[in-house]
Amino acid sequence: MKKNKETKFIFITGGVTSSLGKGIVGASLGVILKSKGLKVTLQKFDPYLNVDPGTMNPYQHGEVFVTEDGCETDLDLGHYERFIDENLSRINNITSGMIYSEVLAKERRGDYLGNTVQIIPHVTNEIKNHIVAATKQNDFDVIITEIGGTIGDIESLPFLEAIRQFQFENKENCIHIHLTLVPYLNSSGEFKTKPTQHSVKELRAIGIQTDVIVCRSSKIFPQEIKQKIALFCDVKTDDVIMCPDAKSIYEVPIYLKNEAIDTVVLQKLGLSQSNSNLVEWENYINIIYQKNKPEVNIGLVGKYTALSDSYLSVTEALKHAAAANKCDCKITWINSETLHQSDGSKKLDECDSILIPGGFGDRGITGKLIAAQYARETNIPYLGLCLGMHIAAIEFARNILNLEDAHSTEFNPNCNDPIIDFLPNQKQLSEMGGTMRLGAYPCVIEQNSKLFSIYKQKEISERHRHRYEFNNAYKALFEDNGIKFSGNSPDGKLVEVIELTDHPWFIACQFHPEFKSRPYKAHPLFFDFIKQTLKLTSS
């Protein structure tokens, strides 16, 4: 294995405003470097004090992404995996909460030998340890580390100090990329560089000199703007990389490659230049921009529909599957809280199929039950993910099995027919964070099923994030009335997938297949869902 000093490190920070797309820029750079034959991984360091985003409201932080090893992470990890097509783990997402927890645990154990525990050096040392942690697991050529937040935030100062120290200690193996905004003022018809200048000045004040500046803008700006930024920020003109708004995030690797970011980065890191191959990305872009494709309309029924990032992996998986089927995918966002029996069909009639994603809590459950019933009765495709499987089972129990009080104990602990109940090992838990069934688990597929025709495998592995399961006491009753349990845990104790035998396409799974979808490798379940929807709309 290489020594740590031979691994190259790229740090990405953001200035001027949040939500500029540090994660997309980092992931795109990872795509380009990987296409050159380099072994790349990405990390996200988030300054918030939560240990992980697992208990955070999706409206505040978007979806929670889950890795193979069961770590609940920031949604940027999803971008990383989708772009570089590599499975990441808990070492790739670090929060202030994790760092401070570890420092305090060491203090309680006496690891600091009675010394006063301080931000510098104890917290910064812990951060630096995590920067190189990935090198102990794999022989990476390049590690790209994104520092969350915006320059000037109090919360991110320990991380910035840590990377300042790290860069000083590893001068030949580190570079710093700063992402800023170059706004265009319509009133004067000018691009403004002052926000970028001030952001770089903030970095200088804490001892960090920027090596590459990536400039977000609403449109392409002239060479003179690059020259001005270079002059005032002490970088070469070639080190100023333009990144204008794109129709699709999957265009960004192409944009950055055209700006020669790879040439700049490899030269600064002392790595040899080699040809890259982005043919798969170019083909994917060509497909999604192809005109006059057929369109399918997917009704996505949830309670966080005001913020699409709440279901980011689901929407991206739908887009991947649509591209693979050479069609366009329109997503109709339906707030389950506003879906009522009296007018539910009006909102659902325009949808070609229904998808109910995962979620927690009883808010909006009635609307989701209405949507599942509509899909079952009208024979349009239905895909239920995690909670979407629970909804399908409850709706079937109530309306087909006539179990009027069928419910989940998550929503009604005292219901007469607990179709969905706690996992056996969850009943005594008192804490919410990190205590669910998390990460990849195997699933055995029944060969005589739609599921087998989709996966074409007897055993698969998918990622989970839940603490409630189908109650096996009702299994025989469901099977006698048209439900096939087509996917189960290897020991047969946990139901993973249900499907309706007398429906064209009605599948609901306990796991989250969206986490494993890739732009040009659509997940088989999403691919077949779109394929069947397209088939029905074309008939």
Side-chain angles (χ1 to χ4, degrees), residues 2-25:
K2 286 183 179 179
K3 296 178 181 178
N4 289 349
K5 66 178 182 179
E6 295 179 348
T7 300
K8 306 296 183 178
F9 298 88
I10 300 172
F11 299 103
I12 300 179
T13 58
V16 183
T17 181
S18 59
S19 301
L20 282 181
K22 296 188 299 295
I24 299 298
V25 168

Side-chain angles (χ1 to χ4, degrees), residues 2 30 32-40 140-142 266 271-272 274:
K2 286 183 179 179
I32 299 168
L33 296 180
K34 185 180 177 183
S35 74
K36 290 176 173 291
L38 295 172
K39 194 157 191 176
V40 181
F140 292 111
D141 296 305
V142 180
L266 292 176
L271 294 171
S272 59
S274 59

Side-chain angles (χ1 to χ4, degrees), residues 47-62:
Y48 54 73
L49 283 173
N50 303 67
V51 172
D52 59 48
T55 58
M56 294 170 70
N57 188 317
Y59 276 141
Q60 288 192 21
H61 205 68

Side-chain angles (χ1 to χ4, degrees), residues 488-537:
N488 298 277
S489 60
D491 60 7
K493 294 181 179 179
L494 301 176
V495 170
E496 296 282 6
V497 186
I498 64 174
E499 58 184 64
L500 280 176
T501 56
D502 60 350
H503 190 284
W505 209 99
F506 193 106
I507 296 176
C509 54
Q510 184 61 76
F511 46 75
H512 289 268
E514 66 270 23
F515 292 147
K516 299 182 78 168
S517 183
R518 306 288 189 257
Y520 45 85
K521 294 180 182 177
H523 189 283
L525 206 51
F526 280 88
F527 175 83
D528 209 70
F529 175 60
I530 295 293
K531 179 182 177 181
Q532 186 64 29
T533 304
L534 185 62
K535 180 180 176 182
L536 290 177
T537 57

Side-chain angles (χ1 to χ4, degrees), residues 95-115:
T95 69
S96 289
M98 292 180 189
I99 296 295
Y100 285 112
S101 293
E102 291 172 11
V103 169
L104 292 174
K106 288 181 178 180
E107 185 272 333
R108 292 290 84 187
R109 290 198 304 267
D111 291 5
Y112 299 123
L113 303 176
N115 288 322

Side-chain angles (χ1 to χ4, degrees), residues 369 393-408 412 415-419 474 477:
L369 289 167
I394 294 167
E395 188 280 322
F396 188 87
R398 289 184 181 181
N399 297 314
I400 298 299
L401 304 182
N402 297 316
L403 302 176
E404 294 182 2
D405 196 38
H407 222 317
S408 166
N412 182 1
C415 62
N416 293 324
D417 290 294
I419 301 301
Y474 293 88
L477 182 60

Side-chain angles (χ1 to χ4, degrees), residues 202-353:
E202 285 280 335
L203 281 168
R204 282 181 181 152
I206 57 178
I208 296 175
Q209 173 59 45
T210 297
D211 297 295
V212 180
I213 301 175
V214 178
C215 301
R216 283 294 310 277
S217 60
S218 58
K219 54 186 177 180
I220 295 172
F221 52 72
Q223 183 74 4
E224 293 77 41
I225 297 297
K226 284 190 175 188
Q227 293 168 347
K228 186 176 181 180
I229 291 172
L231 175 64
F232 284 96
C233 297
D234 292 332
V235 297
K236 295 177 181 178
T237 304
D238 289 345
D239 299 338
V240 180
I241 306 296
M242 182 170 51
C243 189
D245 291 349
K247 292 181 181 178
S248 167
I249 59 173
Y250 301 112
E251 277 190 279
V252 178
I254 309 297
Y255 276 22
L256 295 182
K257 180 71 176 66
N258 291 340
E259 284 282 289
I261 192 173
D262 51 330
T263 302
V264 171
V265 165
L266 292 176
Q267 184 179 37
K268 290 182 180 296
L269 289 174
L271 294 171
S272 59
Q273 301 285 344
S274 59
N275 294 328
S276 61
N277 184 352
L278 296 177
V279 172
E280 289 175 317
W281 284 90
E282 291 167 350
N283 289 341
Y284 181 78
I285 294 298
N286 289 336
I287 289 173
I288 64 176
Y289 289 157
Q290 182 182 329
K291 295 182 178 179
N292 301 319
K293 297 193 300 293
E295 182 180 81
V296 293
N297 187 350
I298 311 298
L300 197 154
V301 184
K303 64 180 178 180
Y304 302 117
T305 53
L307 180 67
S308 60
D309 277 0
S310 301
Y311 303 113
L312 184 61
S313 290
V314 173
T315 58
E316 292 305 303
L318 288 170
K319 293 174 186 176
H320 304 161
N325 279 284
K326 291 184 170 54
C327 69
D328 286 326
C329 176
K330 175 186 175 183
I331 298 175
T332 296
W333 296 93
I334 301 174
N335 186 338
S336 59
E337 290 187 88
T338 64
L339 199 59
H340 305 292
Q341 197 73 52
S342 58
D343 63 351
S345 62
K346 294 179 182 178
K347 297 180 180 180
L348 299 169
D349 280 344
E350 62 185 83
C351 302
D352 300 319
S353 55

Side-chain angles (χ1 to χ4, degrees), residues 443-456:
C443 168
V444 176
I445 298 178
E446 295 291 326
Q447 287 191 250
N448 184 27
S449 66
K450 287 188 182 75
L451 192 67
F452 184 81
S453 69
I454 292 169
Y455 278 96
K456 297 178 175 58

